[in-house]
């Protein structure tokens, strides 16, 4: 269980806990109402033998009910280790699918079915199968690496999955020289800059990261020349060129905690900045970020309804699940 979740706070405690965010949205009345929801969620988790897994980009109040908070790779690994009948996944649809792929015997619930992903929507299994066949005619050794930000059907078409934290390692570990990388062109470009293999990128991007510009980073650097810039590899190459370190969200968490630097600019979805402000209050974190509308669709009310009504359950055809499991298992094997 996360340190934040272990508190099971009262309204006053929650207000104090969230005070480092400096967000007027978390005033006394709001925090009192949230504390009531939190208490009921904790009670239902015990009654349902359920765990809550939450992505780093979630609303800060979601962290108070999460048994584990992490990035895509950490959550994929954690999903295989839970000892519960039900997993409530506070993230987007493909993440809940990943939990179901790895835990076919457990019930996996997504609090809001609208929580999709623009990046996952940029590739279909049918289009990937056609492109793969076309490229293999030219490159018989072609391997397909699929970012975890894809549907189960797309994962089933891939040779291995990857996350932002292990993408270079996965590509380097595969025996193929030619790699079709789907669907994030920015992450593909980042991988290409770290390998001699030939990366063929799909034409997709995360709208949240892609809209962050180098001008925004340069403006903060001008005002705060001492700031340490941490950027996510889903950002554009001209943004990454201005970063002190390019890291996954879990990598940013570790770097910020361990670095002697005291001030950081966090260049990714804003939820990670919230988590850092809460967990490392002795340091300063500035935001050059955008909100993911899909991630923010998950609310405490939605989590409570998911547990009350045991909705919305993720189901997958077994042939699709098995195909996706093969590519996820390959990822976990190569990144161990």
């Amino acid at each position: 269980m996360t340190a934040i979740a272990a508190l099971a706070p009262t309204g006053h405690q929650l207000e104090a806990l969230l005070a480092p965010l400096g967000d007027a949205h978390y005033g006394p009345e709001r925090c009192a109402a949230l504390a009531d929801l939190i208490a009921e969620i904790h009670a239902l988790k015990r009654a349902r033998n359920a765990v809550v897994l939450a992505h780093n980009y979630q609303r800060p109040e979601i962290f108070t009910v999460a048994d584990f908070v992490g990035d895509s790779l950490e959550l994929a690994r954690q999903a295989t280790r839970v000892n519960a009948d039900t997993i409530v996944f506070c993230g987007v649809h493909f993440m809940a699918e990943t939990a179901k792929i790895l835990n076919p015997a457990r019930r996996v619930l997504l609090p809001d079915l609208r929580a999709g992903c623009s990046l996952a929507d940029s590739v279909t299994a049918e289009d990937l199968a056609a492109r793969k066949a076309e490229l293999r005619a030219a490159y018989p050794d072609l391997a397909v690496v699929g970012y975890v930000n894809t549907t189960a059907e797309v994962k089933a078409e891939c040779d291995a999955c990857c996350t932002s934290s292990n993408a270079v390692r996965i590509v380097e570990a595969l025996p193929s020289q030619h790699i079709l990388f789907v669907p994030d062109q920015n992450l593909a470009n980042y991988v290409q800059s770290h390998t001699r293999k030939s990366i063929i990128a799909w034409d997709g991007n995360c709208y949240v990261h892609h809209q962050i510009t180098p001008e925004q980073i340069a403006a903060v650097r001008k005002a705060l020349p001492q700031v340490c810039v941490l950027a996510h590899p889903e950002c554009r190459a001209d943004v990454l060129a201005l970063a002190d370190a390019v890291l996954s969200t879990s990598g940013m968490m570790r770097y910020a905690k361990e670095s002697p630097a005291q001030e950081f600019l966090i260049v990714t979805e804003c939820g990670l900045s919230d988590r850092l402000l809460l967990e490392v209050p002795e340091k300063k974190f500035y935001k050059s970020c955008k909100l993911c509308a899909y991630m923010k669709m998950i609310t405490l009310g939605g989590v409570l309804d998911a547990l009350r009504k045991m909705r919305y359950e993720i189901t997958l055809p077994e042939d699709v699940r098995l195909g996706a499991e093969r590519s996820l298992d390959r990822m976990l094997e190569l990144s161990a």
Side-chain angles (χ1 to χ4, degrees), residues 231-260:
H232 194 280
E234 286 182 32
C235 293
R236 295 161 25 176
D238 53 2
V239 170
L240 299 184
L242 300 178
D244 293 292
V246 178
L247 301 161
S248 68
T249 55
S250 63
M252 290 185 195
M253 289 293 301
R254 287 191 298 271
Y255 192 102
K257 290 178 179 180
E258 297 170 3
S259 170

Side-chain angles (χ1 to χ4, degrees), residues 124-144 157-159 178-180 182 200 202:
T124 66
E126 294 76 16
D127 287 345
L128 176 55
R131 180 63 171 152
K132 183 168 62 172
E134 175 187 359
L135 287 171
R136 279 199 172 139
Y139 310 112
D141 73 323
L142 185 81
V144 180
E157 287 288 338
C158 297
D159 296 293
H178 297 89
I179 306 291
L180 172 59
V182 296
I200 304 163
W202 197 265

Side-chain angles (χ1 to χ4, degrees), residues 92-94 114-122 149-150 206-207 292 294:
V92 293
H93 195 275
F94 76 80
R114 297 174 302 164
C117 173
S118 62
L119 184 54
D121 289 343
S122 69
N149 298 42
T150 50
C206 167
Y207 87 95
C292 175
Y294 299 107

Side-chain angles (χ1 to χ4, degrees), residues 273-288:
S273 299
D274 290 338
R275 186 181 174 196
L276 282 162
L277 285 165
L278 295 175
E279 294 193 21
V280 196
E282 69 275 14
K283 296 186 178 184
K284 292 183 179 180
F285 297 95
Y286 304 99
K287 298 180 179 182
S288 182

Side-chain angles (χ1 to χ4, degrees), residues 51 53 68 77-84 86-87 103 106:
V51 297
L53 303 183
F68 186 84
R77 285 177 170 153
Q78 193 65 26
T80 67
R81 300 168 183 162
V82 297
N83 183 21
T86 298
I87 299 170
N103 293 273
R106 291 190 174 92

Side-chain angles (χ1 to χ4, degrees), residues 72-116:
S72 296
L73 179 58
E74 291 172 325
L75 292 171
R77 285 177 170 153
Q78 193 65 26
T80 67
R81 300 168 183 162
V82 297
N83 183 21
D85 297 323
T86 298
I87 299 170
V88 181
F89 209 105
C90 295
V92 293
H93 195 275
F94 76 80
M95 295 178 178
E97 277 191 340
T98 300
K100 183 63 178 180
I101 291 163
L102 298 172
N103 293 273
R106 291 190 174 92
R107 181 186 287 111
V108 176
L109 305 177
L110 180 66
D112 194 323
L113 288 177
R114 297 174 302 164

